[in-house]
Amino acid sequence: MQRLTLPALGACLLLCLPAAASASVSPLPTRWITPSHSGRVLTNAVVTGCITLSSETFRPVAEASLPEALRARLPDDTANLLVAPVPDGVPLPAPDGIRRSDRHALGLPVVFVENDGGASFPLRPASWPDCALPHAYEPFPHAGHADKKAQTGDILVEAPDPARALRWTAEPDLQLQGYWKHAWSDSRVPATVTGGSPDGPVFLRLGEKPDYGMGATNRLRVLNALPELTQPGQYYLARAERLLFFRPPPPPFDAAAPWRVGLAVAPGVAMELHNVTNLTLRGFTFKGIRGTALKAHHCPGLRLENCTFSHIGGGSAVELLDCPGLRVIGGSVTDVADRALHLSAGTRRTLTPGDACVRDVTFARIGTLVRTYAPAILLEGCGNRIEACRFSEMPSSALRLEGNNHTVASNLFERCVLDSDDQGVIDIWGDPTYLGNRILGNTFRDVGRPALPGIPTGLGQCAVRLDDQISGTLIEGNTFARAARGRFGAIQINGGGNNLIRGNRYIDCPHAVSIQRWTEERWADAVAQPRLRERFRTDVDFRHPAWIEALTVAPGEPLCTEAPATNRVLDTTPTYW
């Protein structure tokens, strides 16, 4: 594969894995855009960090020559199961675990299949229960110790299906992933089977402590188990044998036509920009990248026009930080393992707007591996806009807002918060100085997860969540259809005040607006916590004229020593709890 240099960006840029084998994982060769490119328009490049295996290299498992130990681990049904060798020059790393506290873990390889016509389909790791659907979990009883403070010693869980679990004994990359204690926090950790009998019990020993320890209502699933390669659209990478197994996806994928599998295993950033001004990337395609596709730091006036991002791995697919005047217009971001777009612009300390805008972009199937705190957009700073975008098929939040005076307008959100609990499609959390945000004229449809056998209903899922003291938000002119589950309304307020809700429509929502009241004591305890006191010192300047106007308090007066005034709900009767 030819590697083209920067002057050829107007045609095509291909980033490929190193040709030489290595004992460790060779990083993706980052392509830098330098300040000398300021003011330029770069067009129609393809940026990829994967190798491709053509359909001709795959053979039915029944016809392939496999080591006997590997063949013994195959699923019982091998019909339509294909296998191909991975070239020797491609390093195959052990998969990383992902914990909520480590957003930069890379996770699993990124694997997808595409037809010659360009249609592509993500492949998911072999798992039990199959992770194609939300709610695909089983409770694993707690055995041994796994409390939050435990740092050493065995941490054991009991497999709910002993006979099935014994088939995982020889799996070198087995992992357990899911909701260990809280239904709003997932993590993924290595595991090994310790032995037992088909009549049970069979225990799995964890390689590290899950976030928050474990609870009686955990919901988990096993990943990277070759015997569980039973469903269309799954893959399994046998690293030691350098073999890739997969089952073709169901229609509309056409297995009879020529196709190829993309395999991305290298870490790193595919393209990086620093201190570039007024650069336009138009019609770029980023696909098959295990780490971050595009990272831009301090790039005022950056424009991404009709760019597409697909099949991206850990961390953020796109990171655009300190980019005032940013424009992301058109295009799509799909099939991302973690969060899609991390964006910051503007200065909270002086309430200076960043004037960044994301408009007319499609976001779909975000957080396919990391199930919580992996929004389509994490927006930080002050005075930015998200408008006329489409968001669908997400296990948790579509938007996470951090900061002030952001506007979210005229977007469509459907089938979000399908998996996690205690969260909203638009989620704002934990800082009473996050004032002035506006949520206007959006449509929310089919939010949350239905009650299913064996899965706790949880606290709730909603369209807009103002969590832990969020105040001063305007929610107006939105449509909420089937957008409230559990104890939550379509709009849920937890402790905040001075929020204005008016002119919205609620369709098939058990509760329109739910408000959890806080006492004065609870409010005072929250603002006294070190996390918030530090933010009050560093993130805002209460003596600045803009903040004096926003807070309507005297210069230098301590912020939020008392809970704010009552919320105003003008279009329905709120539910309190």
Side-chain angles (χ1 to χ4, degrees), residues 160-501:
D161 186 337
R164 180 185 292 270
L166 286 176
R167 299 198 63 187
W168 309 330
T169 302
E171 293 300 324
D173 296 327
L174 196 70
Q175 294 186 344
L176 273 175
Q177 189 236 357
Y179 301 87
W180 297 85
K181 186 171 184 178
H182 301 296
W184 43 262
S185 175
D186 77 307
S187 55
R188 183 163 54 84
V189 300
T192 54
V193 178
T194 63
S197 68
D199 297 328
V202 173
F203 295 101
L204 285 82
R205 176 173 287 112
L206 307 186
E208 59 182 85
K209 177 177 68 69
D211 286 321
Y212 300 104
M214 290 184 61
T217 58
N218 65 73
R219 298 182 295 131
L220 307 176
R221 61 185 166 206
V222 170
L223 299 179
N224 296 330
L226 181 56
E228 306 302 339
L229 185 53
T230 60
Q231 302 299 317
Q234 289 183 329
Y235 78 89
Y236 178 86
L237 180 61
R239 291 189 300 118
E241 297 82 3
R242 305 191 63 82
L243 295 172
L244 179 65
F245 296 82
F246 98 107
R247 292 186 186 271
F253 176 75
D254 183 6
W259 47 264
R260 55 193 173 273
V261 171
L263 173 62
V265 295
V269 179
M271 181 174 288
E272 193 156 354
L273 294 70
H274 283 267
N275 301 313
V276 184
T277 303
N278 297 328
L279 172 71
T280 297
L281 303 183
R282 181 177 298 154
F284 271 53
T285 297
F286 295 81
K287 66 177 180 179
I289 297 165
R290 188 183 177 213
T292 294
L294 174 64
K295 179 182 290 187
H297 286 186
H298 189 58
C299 294
L302 175 66
R303 296 180 66 91
L304 306 182
E305 299 179 358
N306 296 314
C307 296
T308 61
F309 300 82
S310 62
H311 310 298
I312 312 295
S316 299
V318 186
E319 185 175 288
L320 310 174
L321 303 183
D322 188 19
C323 294
L326 170 77
R327 294 293 182 269
V328 182
I329 308 297
S332 62
V333 187
T334 58
D335 299 305
V336 175
D338 203 330
R339 66 184 169 217
L341 172 58
H342 183 187
L343 163 63
S344 71
T347 305
R348 291 195 63 223
R349 189 164 180 81
T350 59
L351 293 182
T352 303
D355 188 34
C357 180
V358 181
R359 181 188 305 127
D360 190 29
V361 180
T362 296
F363 296 87
R365 300 177 300 282
I366 309 301
T368 58
L369 183 62
V370 181
R371 311 299 286 178
T372 54
Y373 303 98
I377 301 178
L378 169 59
L379 178 60
E380 299 174 324
C382 179
N384 304 300
R385 306 187 308 281
I386 301 170
E387 56 190 29
C389 294
R390 298 156 297 280
F391 301 83
S392 64
E393 305 298 327
M394 300 181 194
S396 190
S397 301
L399 300 183
R400 179 70 178 266
L401 301 185
E402 306 274 349
N404 300 79
N405 301 335
H406 300 307
T407 298
V408 180
S410 304
N411 302 282
L412 171 63
F413 302 90
E414 52 187 351
R415 289 186 53 78
C416 298
V417 201
L418 295 176
D419 202 11
S420 59
D421 183 42
D422 197 18
Q423 292 178 340
V425 178
I426 298 177
D427 210 279
I428 316 175
W429 173 79
D431 190 328
T433 68
Y434 286 175
L435 307 171
N437 294 304
R438 305 189 304 163
I439 300 171
L440 310 174
N442 304 281
T443 298
F444 300 84
R445 295 198 297 239
D446 300 314
V447 171
R449 53 183 174 88
L452 294 175
I455 296 178
T457 301
L459 192 61
Q461 304 92 42
C462 62
V464 179
R465 181 92 196 277
L466 308 182
D467 190 17
D468 284 6
Q469 302 177 278
I470 296 301
S471 304
T473 304
L474 173 62
I475 304 174
E476 182 175 22
N478 303 279
T479 298
F480 302 97
R482 301 169 299 282
R485 293 190 183 272
R487 300 176 68 183
F488 285 1
I491 301 169
Q492 203 278 333
I493 301 173
N494 183 19
N498 289 339
N499 298 294
L500 176 56
I501 299 169

Side-chain angles (χ1 to χ4, degrees), residues 59-64 66 71 74-83 226-234 245-250 255:
R59 300 179 59 189
V61 162
E63 301 175 7
L66 302 176
R71 187 171 291 278
L74 291 173
D76 295 333
D77 180 11
T78 59
N80 208 31
L81 181 59
L82 305 177
V83 62
L226 181 56
E228 306 302 339
L229 185 53
T230 60
Q231 302 299 317
Q234 289 183 329
F245 296 82
F246 98 107
R247 292 186 186 271

